[in-house]
Amino acid sequence: MAGQSRKWMILVATIWIQAFTGTNFDFSTYSSNLKSVLGISQVQLNYLAVASDLGKVFGWSSGLALLYFPLWTVLFAAAIMGFVGYGVQWLVITNVISLPYILVFLCCLLAGLSICWFNTVCFVLCIRNFPANRSLALSLTVSFNGVSAALYTLAYNAINPVSTELYLLLNALVPLFVSFAALIPILRQPPLEPLPPDGVRRDSLMFLLLNILAVLNGVYLLLFRSKTSDVTSARLLFGGSILLLILPLCLPGLVYARNWYLHNIHSSFRLEGSGFILVDVDELEMHKGMVTREASLEGYQLLNDDVVRAVNTPDQKSFIEDDDGCCCTKVITRNQLGMLGEEHPLSLLLCRSDFWLYYIAYFCGGTIGLVYSNNLGQIAQSLGQSSETTTLVTLYSSFSFFGRLLSATPDYIRA
């Protein structure tokens, strides 16, 4: 009962991590200032932007770290990398210290690597705790990574709207604070329990509710993106955005209250005719266990709507032994990996065409948006609209959020 509420708490913590760790999206807000402080050319500035994104090339190191260290260690390692990477840049841009160009380049590389480590932690949390609805969990949480720049812009306007160096300080400190806030849910992860079919559908409805809240969050940031000279109004707007991020915390409480009601009140009696007939609680629990056991045999098919049961051919049929020694047909997909969500060796992944298709699509498709977002500051400056850079960044961030959120649409349509 408590495990169901804890997994939703983990989802909310993942949303918070993603919402405040998309720090590479606000590069264009302080890039012009960084360029003048370092005395570098536009080409050299572009190299710094590339370094921030190039850090993700070493993202495989996060998966390697998870093989030897617990999840919370990887989370704080990412926070420390971001703290050092952005913190040193903040010291440079405020003229506290002076560093050669190559060291600033390495700081940008380290900051970009931290984002990838944060993403890996969030992906693992979603896949572990929502095996039947992993696509919905991933699309929801990843979408909040695109809203980071808009949130940081509201914080910038609320604190000191005349100092663009503040972005770097926020990039260094906020993810570290969020990591501490997410530590308790991560340490108290519930054990994985198979969900009956009605439980999977109930979770899908929960995700639909969370997506509606996410849309409200995006609309709020889009409507109140304008820069305001009134610090009080800016702080109220920032407080509203934080409130919308806190609102999903009510969901675990609702889940716990519902489970408590079903377990303690609804299960004690049933309505038949005009009176109540008591039901033995032990018999009811035994019946629930039998239903859960039967549903767990069908649980693999709920992981992906495209899976099919193995047919009687030698190359497509396999069996697994359960605890009682009986065999059941393993659910597999033809010409795909045996089971979604399981760990597979690197050599197997490198031999799969679907892996390389995803890799090439992500490598080429993401580059277009990154080139545009990294140069928003220079675009605004060339048009004589330097004061509107933060507005452009917020617009780009908000629509990036909506684009990521729409990635869940095929899953809902298929369902």
Side-chain angles (χ1 to χ4, degrees):
M1 180 170 61
Q4 291 297 311
S5 62
R6 288 208 302 268
K7 78 174 186 179
W8 292 107
M9 185 70 74
I10 290 174
L11 183 70
V12 175
T14 305
I15 288 175
W16 272 68
I17 293 173
Q18 288 282 11
F20 290 102
T21 57
T23 48
N24 58 329
F25 285 102
D26 59 18
F27 175 81
S28 57
T29 56
Y30 59 84
S31 59
S32 297
N33 199 357
L34 186 64
K35 176 183 176 182
S36 61
V37 170
L38 295 176
I40 57 179
S41 64
Q42 180 62 41
V43 175
Q44 290 175 307
L45 181 65
N46 289 337
Y47 287 152
L48 293 181
V50 171
S52 180
D53 302 319
L54 192 62
K56 298 178 182 179
V57 174
F58 303 99
W60 53 267
S61 59
S62 60
L64 187 63
L66 283 172
L67 295 177
Y68 302 99
F69 301 101
L71 196 63
W72 66 269
T73 306
V74 178
L75 175 67
F76 278 98
I80 292 173
M81 285 189 290
F83 177 78
V84 173
Y86 287 113
V88 172
Q89 292 182 68
W90 177 76
L91 294 175
V92 170
I93 204 172
T94 53
N95 294 314
V96 176
I97 61 175
S98 178
L99 293 178
Y101 175 81
I102 185 62
L103 291 182
V104 179
F105 182 90
L106 292 177
C107 287
C108 292
L109 196 71
L110 186 63
L113 180 60
S114 70
I115 299 173
C116 189
W117 279 50
F118 277 122
N119 290 339
T120 301
V121 170
C122 294
F123 292 165
V124 171
L125 287 173
C126 290
I127 292 173
R128 283 183 181 176
N129 294 278
F130 298 93
N133 286 301
R134 61 167 59 87
S135 59
L136 299 179
L138 288 173
S139 60
L140 175 66
T141 54
V142 169
S143 64
F144 277 90
N145 192 253
V147 84
S148 299
L151 289 172
Y152 280 118
T153 298
L154 286 178
Y156 162 79
N157 291 332
I159 299 174
N160 187 8
V162 296
S163 177
T164 56
E165 299 90 349
L166 183 61
Y167 278 98
L168 283 169
L169 186 60
L170 292 174
N171 290 348
L173 295 178
V174 173
L176 185 60
F177 294 152
V178 173
S179 298
F180 278 106
L183 180 60
I184 295 178
I186 291 176
L187 291 177
R188 301 184 71 249
Q189 288 189 67
L192 181 61
E193 298 177 355
L195 283 177
D198 62 328
V200 177
R201 289 190 291 269
R202 185 168 59 249
D203 283 2
S204 299
L205 292 177
M206 290 287 189
F207 277 109
L208 182 60
L209 177 61
L210 285 173
N211 275 272
I212 294 174
L213 292 177
V215 170
L216 292 177
N217 204 323
V219 171
Y220 178 88
L221 294 173
L222 193 61
L223 292 178
F224 299 104
R225 68 184 186 276
S226 299
K227 184 177 179 179
T228 175
S229 58
D230 187 3
V231 178
T232 303
S233 300
R235 289 174 180 174
L236 289 176
L237 294 177
F238 178 65
S241 65
I242 297 299
L243 180 63
L244 287 175
L245 286 175
I246 294 176
L247 196 58
L249 285 175
C250 300
L251 188 62
L254 294 176
V255 173
Y256 185 86
R258 178 187 181 277
N259 291 337
W260 180 86
Y261 170 78
L262 293 177
H263 186 269
N264 294 283
I265 298 179
H266 184 266
S267 62
S268 300
F269 57 83
R270 60 184 177 90
L271 183 63
E272 184 173 316
S274 58
F276 293 96
I277 298 179
L278 295 178
V279 178
D280 186 72
V281 177
D282 294 333
E283 292 182 1
L284 183 64
E285 291 299 325
M286 182 177 65
H287 174 70
K288 287 182 179 180
M290 294 174 62
V291 172
T292 302
R293 180 176 178 81
E294 293 176 359
S296 65
L297 300 180
E298 303 174 358
Y300 290 125
Q301 189 162 6
L302 296 171
L303 298 180
N304 193 318
D305 293 338
D306 295 334
V307 296
V308 294
R309 291 203 174 273
V311 296
N312 296 323
T313 56
D315 59 330
Q316 294 180 0
K317 188 173 181 180
S318 60
F319 295 90
I320 54 174
E321 292 282 340
D322 63 5
D323 295 336
D324 297 332
C326 60
C327 296
C328 63
T329 305
K330 184 179 180 180
V331 182
I332 63 173
T333 303
R334 182 176 181 179
N335 198 30
Q336 292 186 7
L337 296 176
M339 187 62 60
L340 294 175
E342 289 185 355
E343 293 292 338
H344 303 285
L346 179 62
S347 58
L348 180 61
L349 290 176
L350 294 178
C351 296
R352 310 302 302 188
S353 58
D354 48 1
F355 167 78
W356 287 107
L357 179 63
Y358 173 78
Y359 181 86
I360 294 173
Y362 189 79
F363 182 83
C364 299
T367 306
I368 301 173
L370 290 174
V371 171
Y372 174 73
S373 64
N374 290 336
N375 290 280
L376 274 176
Q378 280 64 50
I379 293 173
Q381 188 177 16
S382 64
L383 296 175
Q385 300 291 331
S386 300
S387 59
E388 299 298 328
T389 301
T390 56
T391 302
L392 288 176
V393 170
T394 304
L395 278 173
Y396 176 83
S397 175
S398 299
F399 282 105
S400 174
F401 166 75
F402 284 117
R404 293 163 182 256
L405 196 62
L406 286 174
S407 63
T409 303
D411 296 297
Y412 283 108
I413 294 176
R414 225 170 19 172

